[in-house]
Amino acid sequence: MGLIIIKFAPYKKKRTNHGFSAVSVSQEKKSAITALKIISPYLILTIFIFVSHLILPIKNFLESHMVIEIHSFSFTFSTLNSPGFWLFVTCLYTMVIFKIEKRIIWDSFKNTLKQWIPFVASTVAFVSTSEVMEKAGMTAVLANVAAMSFGSFFVVISPFIGGIGGFLTGSNTGSNAMFIKLQVKAAQQVGLPTDLIAYAQNTSSSHATMACPSRVMLGASICQLESEESNLLKRISLVVLGALVLLIFVLIGWMWG
């Protein structure tokens, strides 16, 4: 007699297309919620800033509460309407929603403080120098010399002044503190639009900070490209120079176009 062996395969429950579809939809929903959670701090910060600046009743309310005023220095600071305040609120939200550990928060605070102190010190120095130049009449003298030397051609020189400031200081704030009064006074002397020259100062300065040697050195150090530092500086300087030339053409086209 022959022996018949019947082998039973292990039972597997077949999933219907509907089942797979349900699992897929569930995973997609979970991924969407996770992605929304990740970008939520940026969304909240953007919404806060737009609402606080574009909706007039809210803007007026924020500008009239918690305002710091120092009359002797003609200083006014609207705390609630400052982007920094909403950034602080967003940081608190991020700590709660992501349940960040106290140790990480404390380490981040210390690192931020280390970066903040040199920035504040340099900014105070630049602003103080600018105020001394203004009170001593140096800014007016330099503006007069620039106006007499270049005339309406000053519109071409203005971006290079801002660029030099950004290159030397590595800070758009510092460069503007040093040179924007000079630029505006020179523009007034030669009859150029002061707002246009102020824009040129700010734009050229912000572009030129990319080529600041200290910033290039920091970037090269982070990316472990110390040996390429001089080469990077040359290439970035060419990019900045091209941006300044392009800005000059924009200014000329704006004025005489």
Side-chain angles (χ1 to χ4, degrees), residues 34-48:
T34 303
L36 182 61
K37 180 180 178 181
I38 292 172
I39 65 173
S40 62
Y42 303 99
L43 294 176
I44 289 175
L45 177 61
T46 303
I47 292 171
F48 278 158

Side-chain angles (χ1 to χ4, degrees), residues 88-199:
F88 175 72
V89 172
T90 305
C91 287
L92 295 179
Y93 163 81
T94 305
M95 294 175 193
V96 174
I97 198 69
F98 288 99
K99 300 178 181 178
I100 301 176
E101 298 178 4
K102 293 181 180 180
R103 176 184 56 82
I104 297 176
I105 296 173
W106 178 244
D107 290 341
S108 299
F109 175 76
K110 290 190 294 184
N111 292 332
T112 301
L113 193 62
K114 289 179 181 178
Q115 296 175 358
W116 178 74
I117 291 175
F119 171 77
V120 171
S122 61
T123 302
V124 169
F126 290 134
V127 173
S128 300
T129 303
S130 175
E131 289 298 317
V132 170
M133 292 175 63
E134 174 71 17
K135 298 300 182 182
M138 297 170 62
T139 302
V141 172
L142 292 173
N144 289 333
V145 171
M148 293 174 59
S149 301
F150 302 108
S152 59
F153 190 69
F154 183 75
V155 70
V156 178
I157 304 300
S158 175
F160 288 104
I161 295 176
I164 291 173
F167 177 81
L168 294 177
T169 63
S171 166
N172 193 31
T173 304
S175 176
N176 287 339
M178 289 284 291
F179 293 117
I180 199 164
K181 290 183 179 180
L182 167 65
Q183 297 254 43
V184 170
K185 284 184 178 293
Q188 291 173 343
Q189 293 285 339
V190 298
L192 293 173
T194 55
D195 54 351
L196 191 65
I197 297 301
Y199 299 153

Side-chain angles (χ1 to χ4, degrees), residues 35 54 65 121 140 164 241:
L54 297 181
H65 292 76
I164 291 173
L241 182 61

